[in-house]
Amino acid sequence: MLYLLCDFQSTRLDYILNIVFDRILQTEYTLLSWEAYQQGIAIKDDTPHVVMYYGEKPGAGQFFIPDSGLLRENRIREEAPVLLEQAGRLPQLFFQEELQLKPTEGVTHDLLASCFFLITQYERYQHPTTGTHGRYDEVAYDSYTRKWHHHPLVQLLAEELWQQLLQLEPKLSRIHRRTSLHLTFDVDHPWKYWFRGFFVNAGGLLKHTFQLRFQVVGEMLKALFSGSDPYNTYPLIHRHFPPEHTAFFFLLDRTTPQDGWHTYKNRPYRKLVKGLKEKGYGIGLHPSYATYLNPERIKFERERLNRLVLEDSEHSRQHFLRYRLPETFRFLLEAGIRHDYTLAMYTDRGFPTGMALSYPWFDLGKNEATELMLHPTTVMDRSLKDYQGLGVDEAMTQCRELWKEVDTVNGCFRILLHNNTLSDEGEWEGWRMPILNLVEELTSSL
């Protein structure tokens, strides 16, 4: 049992204690006031325990965690946290240089505030810098420059704390989870040529003919008359992607040129969605390009998905990974979404909030925890090929390294693919078998 002494209570403190001790370490803890501690109530002396003190100065005999004040506040600070980085060590945010402590005496940085800063994407509230497609400009942030996203830092900080506490009391107990795998598909274009309508295909044929793009014309004609569409990879997915580990997110409406041609009005598309659901695959919404700042569009598209699958779907991932803090997540909650999968790096791979586990979103604007569960994605196909410029062998090596990183903290390895990634044609030529081999390797290791 862990006891944390603290002279204040706040929603931020309650939230991060839940993250560190309940969700990551899965161990029992109790938050105590100094008054209760001094009176000797609530502490069970007959069970193995450690008493920690979260305050401004070390106490008398307790394991010390310095309080930087961040968790007491309800505002967004402008200044960056004091930082100490040393080779071979985890970064120490909210570092206090004057502290001289042995590992069994405490830590020299506000570990709880560090975890809160990382998991809430605090720096994006401080400096909301956006780039292409209105997405947050990942490379503009200090955390990106320092490559913190390459590791699940929040979990690693929690695990490091646990090892220090075990030195004080080796009999402390916790529950250990197993590493899990989640394979996800964003269906932006269910088919490349099928079911787009006569006029769309006719216009495409004329356009490519005038442009002398005869290879594309041949591909279109083959798809339309031979019954073989390059993006129709669903039979392959059925054979290689277990339904219990796989989910699809469907783009159901078209309001901008960045959205797909197929919408909820398309009968074959509706049949595809229903068919995948009947096979046991997870089904979620892929809100269209303009929805991230449009709550009514999110509600409308979720309604259409609910009618289609005949159930109250609560899962979604934003198209183009577009979101704005705190607005988009608030809109999702208002629309009835309770599980969001948007958190993913698009220029790189890794852990944008330092987590390889699902966790509830904390609304910094309202200073409160919410019912929206965030499910971070570890790696995306487009990031590997387009943004990082990796060849297929390098990409698969990186995926295996990421799997090991997730496995060290018993997290969830979540990969974002698209149905056309498995087409083995065009830009994705040569990628199909390496991806299928990776999936088989990962699923067999569970």
Side-chain angles (χ1 to χ4, degrees):
M1 169 69 81
L2 298 175
Y3 294 95
L4 182 71
L5 303 179
C6 187
D7 61 5
F8 74 94
Q9 283 189 294
S10 71
T11 55
R12 292 184 178 188
L13 178 62
D14 290 341
Y15 173 78
I16 204 61
L17 291 179
N18 174 270
I19 295 294
V20 171
F21 297 113
D22 276 344
R23 294 190 176 273
I24 299 176
L25 297 178
Q26 293 188 292
T27 188
E28 287 188 80
Y29 76 94
T30 299
L31 181 62
L32 290 178
S33 66
W34 265 109
E35 181 181 2
Y37 176 64
Q38 289 171 339
Q39 292 176 1
I41 60 176
I43 290 186
K44 303 173 183 178
D45 290 328
D46 59 335
T47 60
H49 67 273
V50 171
V51 180
M52 299 175 289
Y53 173 49
Y54 185 53
E56 295 181 1
K57 296 180 180 179
Q62 301 88 21
F63 184 90
F64 182 63
I65 302 175
D67 171 18
S68 65
L70 186 79
L71 302 183
R72 298 173 181 260
E73 302 168 353
N74 56 16
R75 65 184 179 96
I76 307 296
R77 294 184 179 184
E78 294 183 4
E79 64 274 14
V82 177
L83 173 68
L84 174 67
E85 286 193 298
Q86 297 173 306
R89 294 287 307 277
L90 297 176
Q92 297 185 51
L93 289 75
F94 303 97
F95 174 68
Q96 298 197 11
E97 186 177 5
E98 69 278 5
L99 287 176
Q100 300 292 326
L101 298 172
K102 298 176 182 178
T104 54
E105 294 175 333
V107 294
T108 54
H109 68 115
D110 189 342
L111 183 144
L112 298 177
S114 300
C115 292
F116 185 83
F117 185 90
L118 293 166
I119 202 171
T120 60
Q121 298 186 290
Y122 198 99
E123 62 179 350
R124 296 194 176 187
Y125 285 87
Q126 292 177 311
H127 311 290
T129 307
T130 56
T132 308
H133 298 293
R135 295 181 295 206
Y136 285 104
D137 185 4
E138 294 176 345
V139 302
Y141 292 97
D142 192 46
S143 60
Y144 185 96
T145 304
R146 297 179 183 279
K147 300 188 184 303
W148 289 349
H149 59 282
H150 284 180
H151 310 284
L153 281 181
V154 173
Q155 288 176 255
L156 290 173
L157 286 167
E159 294 291 345
E160 186 174 74
L161 172 64
W162 180 253
Q163 293 305 316
Q164 288 179 259
L165 296 176
L166 284 179
Q167 292 183 52
L168 292 171
E169 178 48 77
K171 293 183 179 179
L172 289 176
S173 64
R174 60 183 287 199
I175 298 171
H176 290 276
R177 69 173 60 79
R178 296 186 62 183
T179 304
S180 59
L181 173 67
H182 196 194
L183 308 161
T184 67
F185 286 90
D186 282 359
V187 184
D188 301 337
H189 307 284
W191 302 284
K192 191 172 184 178
Y193 303 116
W194 285 0
F195 312 120
R196 296 197 308 174
F198 174 79
F199 292 106
V200 173
N201 283 328
L205 283 169
L206 288 173
K207 174 185 174 181
H208 294 308
T209 300
F210 284 130
Q211 293 177 345
L212 304 180
R213 300 176 66 186
F214 298 118
Q215 182 177 351
V216 177
V217 172
E219 184 183 74
M220 287 185 68
L221 292 173
K222 178 182 177 182
L224 293 172
F225 294 104
S226 73
S228 174
D229 187 280
Y231 293 180
N232 184 41
T233 58
Y234 310 105
L236 188 72
I237 293 171
H238 296 161
R239 293 195 297 271
H240 295 274
F241 289 75
E244 65 270 23
H245 297 299
T246 309
F248 290 84
F249 295 90
F250 291 98
L251 183 63
L252 292 181
D253 207 6
R254 178 178 173 84
T255 58
T256 71
Q258 285 76 24
D259 299 315
W261 283 105
H262 300 84
T263 72
Y264 67 92
K265 299 177 182 178
N266 186 294
R267 183 177 296 178
Y269 192 22
R270 296 199 302 269
K271 184 178 179 182
L272 171 67
V273 176
K274 291 179 182 178
L276 288 168
K277 180 180 180 295
E278 290 170 359
K279 290 182 180 295
Y281 289 99
I283 302 296
L285 179 65
H286 198 34
S288 59
Y289 186 81
T291 59
Y292 80 121
L293 289 177
N294 189 332
E296 296 307 315
R297 290 304 308 177
I298 295 176
K299 291 177 183 177
F300 174 82
E301 293 177 19
R302 179 175 178 260
E303 255 179 39
R304 291 300 178 274
L305 180 62
N306 289 349
R307 291 183 189 179
L308 184 55
V309 298
L310 299 178
E311 69 178 23
D312 197 17
S313 179
E314 298 183 336
H315 300 254
S316 75
R317 180 191 280 134
Q318 291 296 121
H319 192 31
F320 275 77
L321 303 178
R322 302 175 93 205
Y323 69 98
R324 190 65 48 81
L325 292 167
E327 292 85 357
T328 305
F329 292 156
R330 288 179 183 172
F331 297 156
L332 291 172
L333 276 167
E334 291 169 9
I337 297 295
R338 293 295 179 268
H339 299 269
D340 183 78
Y341 298 76
T342 305
L343 291 181
M345 305 292 298
Y346 63 89
T347 60
D348 205 347
R349 82 286 187 183
F351 313 90
T353 60
M355 289 286 280
L357 285 174
S358 303
Y359 61 92
W361 174 56
F362 190 93
D363 185 338
L364 269 178
K366 294 182 178 180
N367 205 51
E368 64 183 23
T370 73
E371 295 180 354
L372 182 66
M373 291 295 296
L374 301 181
H375 304 272
T377 292
T378 317
V379 65
M380 177 176 67
D381 50 10
R382 283 281 172 200
S383 168
L384 293 167
K385 187 178 73 67
D386 295 346
Y387 290 93
Q388 296 185 65
L390 301 180
V392 63
D393 292 337
E394 292 175 299
M396 296 304 104
T397 296
Q398 187 177 107
C399 287
R400 290 181 174 91
E401 290 173 352
L402 283 167
W403 169 262
K404 292 178 183 177
E405 187 85 23
V406 171
D407 195 38
T408 61
V409 292
N410 300 114
C412 177
F413 182 84
R414 186 171 285 110
I415 186 168
L416 194 169
L417 300 168
H418 296 77
N419 52 298
N420 56 299
T421 307
L422 299 175
S423 65
D424 213 33
E425 295 187 18
E427 61 175 329
W428 294 107
E429 184 177 358
W431 285 73
R432 177 191 288 174
M433 285 311 301
I435 291 176
L436 295 182
N437 290 337
L438 175 69
V439 169
E440 181 179 357
E441 178 184 326
L442 296 183
T443 52
S444 64
S445 68
L446 296 174

